[in-house]
Amino acid sequence: MVDIIALQALRLVLLYFLLKSRAIRRSVFLEISQAQPFHLGRILDPALLALGTAIKALRKTHGISQEELAHRSHIDRSYMSSIERGMQNPGVMTVVQIAAGLGVSVAELAAKARL
């Protein structure tokens, strides 16, 4: 099943780059973005996407750059990026560090993510 989804997504991405009309590219992009999230043939977990979205929203609300939040949380910026995109499953201590870097409790972060 995952292979079929990955092949369909690859087809849409290739079609996107082959098309020259902006309007057609936009409609293809919308079709891709409405599909179930995946990365390299792997479907992303909705809870991880929600957590990443909540972290990013709180970070932007506080006016903190991704690099600054990573520094405050004592983690690498690229790892922070992966967490925000829902591609990493951070451990409990990492979530605690991120919450502290944002100046919120883990409970507030979980509530923002609706977990």
Side-chain angles (χ1 to χ4, degrees):
M1 179 67 173
V2 174
D3 293 332
I4 293 170
I5 294 170
L7 288 174
Q8 289 173 341
L10 180 60
R11 181 183 58 84
L12 290 172
V13 170
L14 290 174
L15 181 62
Y16 173 82
F17 286 110
L18 292 174
L19 299 173
K20 295 186 179 188
S21 166
R22 278 191 155 190
I24 295 173
R25 279 198 310 246
R26 179 168 165 70
S27 68
V28 170
F29 175 75
L30 289 174
E31 186 178 339
I32 292 170
S33 65
Q34 292 170 357
Q36 190 168 10
F38 68 96
H39 180 259
L40 299 177
R42 165 176 81 112
I43 295 174
L44 300 178
D45 188 290
L48 294 178
L49 290 170
L51 178 63
T53 302
I55 291 169
K56 186 174 184 176
L58 286 168
R59 174 176 65 78
K60 290 190 173 216
T61 300
H62 287 85
I64 304 170
S65 70
Q66 193 177 71
E67 187 172 5
E68 176 62 24
L69 178 57
H71 178 72
R72 290 182 186 186
S73 305
H74 307 287
I75 61 175
D76 190 76
R77 191 212 50 82
S78 62
Y79 184 49
M80 179 64 70
S81 173
S82 294
I83 292 170
E84 284 188 358
R85 289 180 285 136
M87 295 175 57
Q88 291 289 335
N89 186 3
V92 173
M93 291 310 299
T94 302
V95 173
V96 169
Q97 290 172 305
I98 293 170
L102 289 167
V104 299
S105 69
V106 174
E108 289 173 294
L109 182 56
K112 177 77 173 175
R114 296 183 178 164
L115 297 176

